Amino acid sequence: VLNMKAFVAGGSGYGGGELLRLLAGHPRVDEIASSSRTYEGKRISAVHPNLSGIVESEFKAHDPSHADADIVFLALPHGQSMEYAPQILECGMKVIDFSADYRMGDARLYGKHYGKHKNPELLEDAVYGLPELFRDDIRKSRLIANPGCYATAALLALKPLSSISKSLDFNHVIVDAKSGTSGAGAKPSQFLHHSEVFDNIRTYKETGHRHEPEIDHILDCFIKDASVSFTPTLMPVVRGIICNCHIFGDTDIETLRAAYSNDYRKEPFIRVVDAACTKNVLYSNYCDIQPAYDAGKGRAVIVSAIDNLVKGAAGQAMQNMNLLMGYPEDEGLKTPPYHP
Amino acid sequence: VLNMKAFVAGGSGYGGGELLRLLAGHPRVDEIASSSRTYEGKRISAVHPNLSGIVESEFKAHDPSHADADIVFLALPHGQSMEYAPQILECGMKVIDFSADYRMGDARLYGKHYGKHKNPELLEDAVYGLPELFRDDIRKSRLIANPGCYATAALLALKPLSSISKSLDFNHVIVDAKSGTSGAGAKPSQFLHHSEVFDNIRTYKETGHRHEPEIDHILDCFIKDASVSFTPTLMPVVRGIICNCHIFGDTDIETLRAAYSNDYRKEPFIRVVDAACTKNVLYSNYCDIQPAYDAGKGRAVIVSAIDNLVKGAAGQAMQNMNLLMGYPEDEGLKTPPYHP
Amino acid sequence: VLNMKAFVAGGSGYGGGELLRLLAGHPRVDEIASSSRTYEGKRISAVHPNLSGIVESEFKAHDPSHADADIVFLALPHGQSMEYAPQILECGMKVIDFSADYRMGDARLYGKHYGKHKNPELLEDAVYGLPELFRDDIRKSRLIANPGCYATAALLALKPLSSISKSLDFNHVIVDAKSGTSGAGAKPSQFLHHSEVFDNIRTYKETGHRHEPEIDHILDCFIKDASVSFTPTLMPVVRGIICNCHIFGDTDIETLRAAYSNDYRKEPFIRVVDAACTKNVLYSNYCDIQPAYDAGKGRAVIVSAIDNLVKGAAGQAMQNMNLLMGYPEDEGLKTPPYHP
Amino acid sequence: VLNMKAFVAGGSGYGGGELLRLLAGHPRVDEIASSSRTYEGKRISAVHPNLSGIVESEFKAHDPSHADADIVFLALPHGQSMEYAPQILECGMKVIDFSADYRMGDARLYGKHYGKHKNPELLEDAVYGLPELFRDDIRKSRLIANPGCYATAALLALKPLSSISKSLDFNHVIVDAKSGTSGAGAKPSQFLHHSEVFDNIRTYKETGHRHEPEIDHILDCFIKDASVSFTPTLMPVVRGIICNCHIFGDTDIETLRAAYSNDYRKEPFIRVVDAACTKNVLYSNYCDIQPAYDAGKGRAVIVSAIDNLVKGAAGQAMQNMNLLMGYPEDEGLKTPPYHP
């Protein structure tokens, strides 16, 4: 197993910055380079001052097509990744894409929610980079669509129920999610202005969030015609996602627990717990999952918690990188979460 | 219309303290007294230092039975209120009770969730103190069961749907609620320790919260056999509740909006808004309500927001007091919320 | 005493918005109008959604010169107020200015810190609007320079020491201040982006903050040649300022307490307390002050706390308005602070 | 260099828990055991759920005297450590003590601030565990007094000024420090109750904090008769300390910067930065230091930032452990801080 070179396109954002931080601590990564449209030529640690004394290079020019790397991470907005992916792949480099551009597997579905796809022929090459669901495919791929943060938390909570899906009403699943502000990115706006966010709980995109079709699309591989209704709420914190998944049906708590234990027994980053909260997973690649069941009303509640920038973005990307490179899956991802 | 005297039993807690603050600003309240088991003889402003220079008296002995007042507010834990209510009523004073003791209207239901009731004969005298739903009954009552904070937010969000309940699946309503910590009270505990709460999003009581039967019980007056499934999440803020209410069914956004406008057009404390968030209602008696509808999946999402200590407790109690006394309903409750 | 009309130029900012909120609740204010460059023609409650159902008018065009009002509040940035003040005064309206334009009383000092003054002849007409220090002058004035938020907290903490200034080293006063983000305004920026501010304590402007010469300039009226060294720290909250004022010298705690009691005994908005914190004053016009003394090292520590948008801006402006109009000084400012 | 066994007495607190987390990731630590008076027999991960799946053992009985370890960490309150240290040392194990029991080097000084010392003869054996100041002594010691969190931040900020102390007034140093709540521990109290702390800035121990004599005592080794006046303020965050150190004197910014660069050029955990804030050091062992100078008023401001549980407690303890064991000083402490 050889060491590697990594390139992060769009390293000035929060997802890209978190990935640079993780790569800096990965024992197998020999070289790290990063590009940024806005900060080209500027020191990386001027944008991410947490990395002062740790990452000392400058941002390169934006275009990642000519990167000299084994893997190129595209931490770019939707629509931009598909501009660069084809050429990078042609150069023989592998791609892990943070955007939605290769998640849908279907140009029509992509078009409906994001716009016209520029290289739909690549969609069938792309693998949805959720290792717990598609590990073997990921290993063999050259183009990984790194999942959305909400989709990660929802899918990890819902997929194990496929074994008992017949006793549950999977046509009316509610995923009520809560997230901190870092998922909305580093660009200043009134919506993310501290004085507006602090001490405020704000439901937004009550209907129509674009992670909803992503969840449905992937879940369909495991539970035919499952339909998830998704609503996010913005929390006055920076990191962390909690999904409360509500599903009516006739089961019991032992059956639920068994479904999760069976599926996730050997997973390095899933913990089935008694009380899920964001604090126990922040800054780590863990997803904590807690099943509950109300026998009186016949409702299952599955709570999942992740750090949106780690398991929901950069950590998951590195987990995918480890799979692509044949490294131990948890290499560079072993730092435990914190208390308090 | 005469001025009045008020007595707050249990004034050292957060709900009681907020009520003392409101009473101090009410133009019709001539005398305020308060009792506390723990702080008897201590200055009220030592417990609520916000009131230094505003409320200068001391807490009296706990027993409110011999209060010299027109209205006695019982800001006491469940089980304690029913110890004192009968004697206070016998003395001809009216009672507004913050606990669940007189909310259920049914001793069996109370017994199932709280324990044996000591004076079930009073239950049929008690009126559930949600003015928007029971205004006329409240005016004529002598014993008001002030609603639970979550129940207030959920019921105000759901009740207007009674006019279109046939097109909605009211047997499978999900109320996914988020609350700050003040609703859990002033008593220190590990669960409410700052280092544990800060920067943490924590679902708790996934099933079985005691406000669920309270919501079902009251909603049943308007929508026969409605069944709500309730899950709360603790937010790292002090005040504020958001309820996301999810209901499947066949309707449209105009019909939804009309239902709310019709019901609440003249309500002084309900605002039907485009974007509900806690910040816009904090420290006020407002409940903001925002309806949304996903035509694709046939799901209504109703978001309601209140300040749990004002509309969810002390403000609502004062609104009830105004009704009982024949004062303008918003007297003492006109301070607008803040921005930012 | 007649009722009045008020005009708020720059009502879309946080200071102006807070003033609109306060004016809406003032029993003597019959008409409120407001202008905004950015939001002209837009509903006020679209910018300040807390005021939905309370303030229903639209923002007028920016230029306040032709306002039809008794008092024009200029909630404008430094440099803009002096563009409008002369004409407003000529029209016979009074001016209360939130900016620094008329605080310095000296065009040279203003020029050094802010730029060339456009109407220096007005400087000697202007009164520094800190009622506790200049109440009688304010009553007779037509142009009030509403103090800076930090300057308010620092001056209220330091001025009473003038009676014992000979025993203190007033050439080396340290004012170490902490503030929430609302003082920096409503304009989005990276510095105020929620993900950057949350969970972060950040000292800024370690030296050279422009409130330092303002404090020195005003303090000089009471303590000749006093010199204050000022450093602010940004706190991850929205509202509230704490000033820790450190002064070496030979005194004792009784003498300190007496100085504050003597000066502030009759002040409606100053409370001399045992433990100052922002929470006890937030959303109110109070300034809480706590003196301490270390006899071993000969150091006095005076802690003062205010809400930067109320006593530090809009509340103080309304207090000044009350003085100008001959209303009771606390009219419209009686809402007590909150707990918790 | 051999691998080692570690024992943490008092592992249920925040400092001890953070150390367990760090030890779990240290490549040279083969065995970890921990004791707790309250949680004896309970799983460590029940108290620190962040460690679920990472640390799976139970807390042992409280008494650490018979630990089977190379180093015993005493994460105990003041007064308890000195009960156990002598016997542990007699057994040939080394001790790193989190309490103040061995910091003072002088039984009289200890007695004045903490109470009678039980084994004053050990005081001269003890080394103050601030590696940047006493690295060589630490290497040779068997009893390390791990510094207080505030003292760490203040001493690292002040010590480099010893080279220019003659031009500064070191008799009147002000250290105005701000800290999150985790430094006050895991025990619930009203002072640390979330609803009381949130959105609150609260100065406390304005004078007389016990870290003041600790700072003076250690600083005296470098700057004879230096006298620091210390005031802390509680911030509504969990982790992080900022010290603003104010010193009058005649110097310039270049001289200041040179003092820090010279002293700290080779330090693995000190970064001299342009803008210090807690966020850039949280969860890491870094201390960021930013010097500033006001030439007009002749005041130096040195800002230092640490994570109180890492560089202020457990991380520093592990840095000391590395020195004692001859490991690379940053072993197990390389995880970079986070953004955002």
Side-chain angles (χ1 to χ4, degrees), chain A residues 51-312:
Chain A
L51 298 179
S52 296
I54 297 164
V55 175
E56 294 292 17
S57 53
E58 286 91 37
F59 283 115
K60 296 187 187 305
H62 187 55
D63 189 338
S65 315
H66 305 291
D68 169 25
D70 297 283
I71 295 186
V72 175
F73 296 89
L74 299 176
L76 300 173
H78 312 307
Q80 279 191 32
S81 289
M82 59 184 167
E83 307 255 2
Y84 299 111
Q87 199 173 342
I88 301 169
L89 292 168
E90 267 173 43
C91 296
M93 298 181 280
K94 295 188 173 187
V95 168
I96 298 176
D97 178 24
F98 283 48
S99 86
D101 285 0
Y102 298 98
R103 287 180 197 156
M104 293 306 201
D106 175 337
R108 258 194 323 182
L109 188 60
Y110 183 86
K112 192 172 160 194
H113 297 286
Y114 292 93
K116 189 168 164 49
H117 206 289
K118 287 181 180 155
N119 30 63
E121 68 283 3
L122 281 179
L123 286 173
E124 63 180 28
D125 282 18
V127 173
Y128 192 74
L130 194 51
E132 290 77 6
L133 273 57
F134 302 102
R135 181 169 287 118
D136 292 338
D137 295 327
I138 292 167
R139 281 193 226 271
K140 292 174 282 186
S141 179
R142 56 179 191 145
L143 171 54
I144 305 292
N146 213 50
C149 52
Y150 284 127
T152 296
L155 287 166
L156 291 174
L158 293 172
K159 188 262 165 180
L161 300 179
S162 62
S163 62
I164 55 167
S165 63
K166 278 177 193 149
S167 50
L168 300 171
D169 179 3
F170 254 96
N171 290 314
H172 297 93
V173 177
I174 298 289
V175 174
D176 193 294
K178 305 104 178 78
S179 173
T181 55
S182 61
K187 195 177 165 192
S189 69
Q190 202 215 2
F191 187 73
L192 299 172
H193 194 57
H194 179 266
S195 291
E196 302 293 328
V197 172
F198 180 78
D199 198 13
N200 198 2
I201 309 174
R202 185 164 33 168
T203 306
Y204 69 105
K205 280 273 171 202
E206 293 75 16
T207 65
H209 192 286
R210 295 196 290 197
H211 284 188
E212 187 180 285
E214 181 179 333
I215 297 167
D216 277 352
H217 178 67
I218 301 301
L219 201 55
D220 189 67
C221 305
F222 303 95
I223 306 169
K224 209 63 205 163
D225 296 326
S227 172
V228 165
S229 285
F230 178 82
T231 296
T233 300
L234 190 71
M235 298 290 113
V237 299
V238 168
R239 291 179 179 230
I241 285 178
I242 281 267
C243 281
N244 293 352
C245 307
H246 307 272
I247 311 141
F248 286 97
D250 184 18
T251 181
D252 55 63
I253 184 64
E254 290 72 28
T255 304
L256 284 173
R257 283 211 191 101
Y260 289 92
S261 312
N262 289 342
D263 254 42
Y264 290 149
R265 191 180 306 116
K266 295 180 180 170
E267 286 298 336
F269 295 118
I270 310 274
R271 302 188 293 195
V272 183
V273 299
D274 292 333
C277 64
T278 57
K279 194 125 187 173
N280 288 341
V281 299
L282 286 192
Y283 305 105
S284 85
N285 204 46
Y286 283 110
C287 175
D288 279 4
I289 299 181
Q290 170 196 7
Y293 188 68
D294 179 355
K297 299 215 166 181
R299 177 181 55 129
V301 190
I302 315 301
V303 183
S304 61
I306 63 167
D307 182 311
N308 55 299
L309 291 180
V310 187
K311 185 60 179 167

Side-chain angles (χ1 to χ4, degrees), chain D residues 18-336:
Chain D
E18 181 70 0
L19 182 59
L20 289 169
R21 194 188 68 77
L22 286 167
L23 290 168
H26 195 292
R28 293 273 184 187
V29 175
D30 287 341
E31 282 185 42
I32 307 165
S34 182
S35 65
S36 162
R37 190 187 301 253
T38 313
Y39 296 98
E40 179 184 342
K42 210 170 171 183
R43 288 174 57 240
I44 288 174
S45 64
V47 175
H48 303 297
N50 58 314
L51 299 179
S52 296
I54 299 165
V55 175
E56 294 292 18
S57 54
E58 287 91 37
F59 283 115
K60 295 185 187 306
H62 187 55
D63 188 338
S65 316
H66 305 290
D68 169 25
D70 298 284
I71 294 186
V72 175
F73 296 89
L74 300 175
L76 300 174
H78 312 306
Q80 279 190 33
S81 289
M82 61 184 166
E83 308 254 2
Y84 299 110
Q87 199 174 343
I88 301 169
L89 292 168
E90 265 173 46
C91 296
M93 298 180 280
K94 295 188 173 187
V95 168
I96 298 177
D97 177 25
F98 283 48
S99 86
D101 285 0
Y102 298 97
R103 289 181 196 156
M104 292 306 202
D106 175 336
R108 258 194 324 183
L109 189 60
Y110 183 87
K112 192 171 161 195
H113 297 285
Y114 292 91
K116 188 168 165 48
H117 206 289
K118 286 182 180 154
N119 31 62
E121 68 285 1
L122 281 180
L123 286 174
E124 64 179 29
D125 281 19
V127 173
Y128 192 74
L130 195 51
E132 290 77 7
L133 273 57
F134 302 103
R135 182 170 285 119
D136 292 339
D137 295 328
I138 292 166
R139 281 193 226 272
K140 292 174 283 186
S141 179
R142 58 178 190 143
L143 171 55
I144 305 292
N146 213 51
C149 52
Y150 284 127
T152 295
L155 288 166
L156 291 174
L158 294 172
K159 187 261 163 181
L161 300 178
S162 61
S163 62
I164 55 167
S165 64
K166 279 177 192 150
S167 50
L168 299 171
D169 179 3
F170 254 97
N171 290 316
H172 297 93
V173 177
I174 297 288
V175 174
D176 193 294
K178 304 101 179 76
S179 173
T181 54
S182 62
K187 196 178 165 192
S189 68
Q190 203 218 0
F191 187 73
L192 299 171
H193 194 56
H194 178 266
S195 291
E196 303 292 327
V197 172
F198 179 79
D199 198 13
N200 198 2
I201 309 173
R202 186 163 33 169
T203 307
Y204 69 104
K205 278 273 169 202
E206 293 75 17
T207 66
H209 192 285
R210 296 194 293 197
H211 283 188
E212 186 180 287
E214 181 179 332
I215 298 167
D216 277 353
H217 177 67
I218 301 300
L219 200 56
D220 190 68
C221 305
F222 303 95
I223 305 169
K224 209 63 203 164
D225 296 326
S227 172
V228 165
S229 284
F230 178 83
T231 297
T233 300
L234 190 71
M235 298 290 111
V237 298
V238 167
R239 289 178 180 231
I241 285 177
I242 281 268
C243 281
N244 292 352
C245 307
H246 307 272
I247 312 141
F248 287 97
D250 184 18
T251 181
D252 53 64
I253 184 63
E254 290 74 26
T255 305
L256 284 174
R257 283 211 191 100
Y260 289 92
S261 311
N262 289 342
D263 254 41
Y264 291 147
R265 192 180 305 116
K266 296 180 180 172
E267 286 298 336
F269 295 117
I270 311 272
R271 302 188 292 196
V272 183
V273 298
D274 292 333
C277 65
T278 55
K279 194 125 184 173
N280 289 340
V281 300
L282 287 192
Y283 305 105
S284 85
N285 204 47
Y286 283 110
C287 176
D288 279 5
I289 299 180
Q290 171 196 6
Y293 188 67
D294 179 355
K297 298 214 165 181
R299 176 182 57 127
V301 189
I302 315 301
V303 182
S304 60
I306 63 168
D307 182 312
N308 56 299
L309 289 181
V310 187
K311 185 61 178 168
Q316 185 137 277
M318 183 181 265
Q319 191 180 352
N320 284 318
M321 175 192 97
N322 286 335
L323 290 170
L324 287 180
M325 299 298 295
Y327 301 153
E329 193 168 335
D330 64 351
E331 195 74 281
L333 291 167
K334 290 173 199 161
T335 305

Side-chain angles (χ1 to χ4, degrees), chain C residues 17-326:
Chain C
E18 181 70 1
L19 182 59
L20 289 170
R21 194 188 68 76
L22 287 168
L23 290 168
H26 195 291
R28 293 271 184 188
V29 176
D30 285 341
E31 283 185 40
I32 306 166
S34 181
S35 65
S36 162
R37 189 187 302 255
T38 313
Y39 296 99
E40 180 184 342
K42 208 168 171 183
R43 288 175 57 242
I44 289 174
S45 64
V47 176
H48 303 298
N50 58 314
L51 299 180
S52 296
I54 298 165
V55 175
E56 293 293 16
S57 53
E58 287 90 38
F59 283 115
K60 296 184 187 306
H62 188 55
D63 188 337
S65 314
H66 306 290
D68 169 25
D70 298 284
I71 295 186
V72 174
F73 296 89
L74 300 176
L76 301 173
H78 312 307
Q80 280 192 32
S81 289
M82 59 185 169
E83 308 255 1
Y84 300 110
Q87 199 174 340
I88 300 169
L89 292 169
E90 267 173 43
C91 296
M93 298 180 281
K94 296 188 174 187
V95 167
I96 297 176
D97 178 24
F98 282 49
S99 86
D101 285 0
Y102 298 98
R103 287 180 197 155
M104 292 308 201
D106 175 336
R108 256 194 324 182
L109 189 59
Y110 183 86
K112 192 171 160 194
H113 297 287
Y114 292 93
K116 187 168 164 50
H117 207 289
K118 288 182 179 152
N119 31 63
E121 68 283 2
L122 281 180
L123 287 174
E124 64 181 27
D125 281 19
V127 173
Y128 192 75
L130 194 52
E132 290 77 7
L133 274 57
F134 302 102
R135 183 169 285 119
D136 293 339
D137 295 328
I138 292 167
R139 281 195 227 270
K140 292 175 282 186
S141 179
R142 57 178 190 143
L143 172 55
I144 305 293
N146 213 49
C149 52
Y150 284 127
T152 296
L155 287 166
L156 291 174
L158 293 172
K159 186 263 167 181
L161 300 179
S162 61
S163 62
I164 57 167
S165 63
K166 278 177 194 150
S167 51
L168 300 171
D169 179 3
F170 253 96
N171 290 316
H172 297 93
V173 177
I174 298 288
V175 174
D176 193 293
K178 305 103 180 78
S179 174
T181 55
S182 62
K187 195 176 165 194
S189 68
Q190 203 216 1
F191 187 73
L192 298 173
H193 194 57
H194 178 265
S195 291
E196 302 292 329
V197 171
F198 180 78
D199 199 12
N200 198 1
I201 309 174
R202 186 164 31 169
T203 307
Y204 69 103
K205 279 273 172 203
E206 293 75 17
T207 66
H209 192 285
R210 296 195 293 197
H211 284 189
E212 187 180 286
E214 181 179 333
I215 298 167
D216 276 353
H217 178 66
I218 302 300
L219 201 55
D220 190 67
C221 306
F222 303 94
I223 306 169
K224 209 63 207 162
D225 296 326
S227 173
V228 165
S229 285
F230 179 83
T231 296
T233 300
L234 190 71
M235 298 290 114
V237 298
V238 168
R239 291 179 179 231
I241 285 178
I242 282 265
C243 281
N244 293 351
C245 307
H246 307 272
I247 312 141
F248 285 97
D250 184 18
T251 181
D252 54 64
I253 185 63
E254 289 75 25
T255 305
L256 284 173
R257 284 212 190 100
Y260 289 92
S261 312
N262 289 342
D263 255 41
Y264 290 148
R265 192 179 306 114
K266 295 179 180 172
E267 286 298 336
F269 295 118
I270 310 273
R271 301 188 293 195
V272 183
V273 299
D274 292 334
C277 65
T278 57
K279 194 127 187 171
N280 289 340
V281 299
L282 286 191
Y283 305 105
S284 85
N285 203 47
Y286 283 110
C287 175
D288 280 3
I289 299 181
Q290 170 196 6
Y293 187 67
D294 178 355
K297 298 213 166 181
R299 177 181 56 127
V301 189
I302 316 301
V303 182
S304 61
I306 62 167
D307 182 311
N308 54 300
L309 290 180
V310 188
K311 185 60 178 168
Q316 185 138 273
M318 183 179 265
Q319 191 180 354
N320 284 317
M321 176 192 96
N322 286 334
L323 290 171
L324 287 180
M325 299 298 294

